[in-house]
């Protein structure tokens, strides 16, 4: 059974930093692109960042580019999202997800087949 579990959410002040982690199990991790998505109350789920199977390619939403960094450690079956210069509008439930692709850092949620349970990130202003 494939399982993705997020860690590291919480409450931070605007301008602060937070690092999210996602531990994957039950899959050949290096065969998957990994992504982070988020959903705020009353909003659609949106793409945040993604990373290719090898970590060679990354992609970011315009709203987070320059502030967030995605990385992965295939030896640990883990993907991370370092979030800096946080803004109130970053408040959301963050999800990690896996897509069965070795061709790039995918950005469309429809391409991701496994999802974590989500973790709350709240940024106070």
């Amino acid at each position: 059974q494939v399982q993705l579990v997020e860690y590291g959410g919480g409450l931070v002040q605007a301008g602060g930093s937070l690092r999210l982690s996602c531990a994957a199990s039950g899959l050949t991790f290096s065969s998957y692109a990994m992504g982070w998505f988020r959903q705020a109350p009353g909003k659609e789920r949106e793409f945040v960042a993604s990373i290719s199977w090898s970590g060679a390619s990354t992609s970011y939403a315009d709203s987070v580019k320059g502030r967030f960094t995605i990385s992965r450690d295939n030896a640990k079956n883990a993907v991370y999202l370092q979030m800096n210069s946080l803004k109130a509008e970053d408040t959301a439930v963050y999800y990690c997800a896996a897509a069965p692709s070795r061709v790039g850092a995918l950005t469309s949620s429809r391409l991701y087949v496994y999802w974590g349970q989500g973790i709350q990130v709240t940024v106070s202003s």
Side-chain angles (χ1 to χ4, degrees):
Q1 184 185 163
V2 172
Q3 209 166 49
L4 305 178
V5 181
E6 300 96 338
Y7 301 91
L11 174 65
V12 296
Q13 289 189 43
S17 297
L18 202 62
R19 190 178 81 148
L20 303 183
S21 301
C22 176
S25 61
L27 77 171
T28 303
F29 189 69
S30 62
S31 294
Y32 291 80
M34 298 297 297
W36 288 95
F37 296 79
R38 67 187 183 188
Q39 187 166 23
K43 299 280 191 177
E44 297 284 333
R45 181 176 58 192
E46 66 175 348
F47 167 76
V48 176
S50 62
I51 188 165
S52 63
W53 71 272
S54 67
S57 299
T58 58
S59 186
Y60 297 92
D62 288 343
S63 60
V64 307
K65 193 170 186 177
R67 299 189 297 120
F68 291 11
T69 302
I70 189 171
S71 60
R72 70 189 294 161
D73 186 340
N74 286 352
K76 296 181 178 180
N77 282 15
V79 62
Y80 309 96
L81 185 68
Q82 178 66 46
M83 303 183 291
N84 298 326
S85 301
L86 283 161
K87 305 174 180 179
E89 50 263 45
D90 295 318
T91 295
V93 175
Y94 284 69
Y95 299 88
C96 70
S101 174
R102 301 189 83 190
V103 298
L106 308 177
T107 62
S108 177
S109 63
R110 66 179 178 85
L111 302 175
Y112 288 81
V113 297
Y114 300 118
W115 294 81
Q117 81 283 5
I119 191 163
Q120 180 70 47
V121 171
T122 302
V123 184
S124 62
S125 57

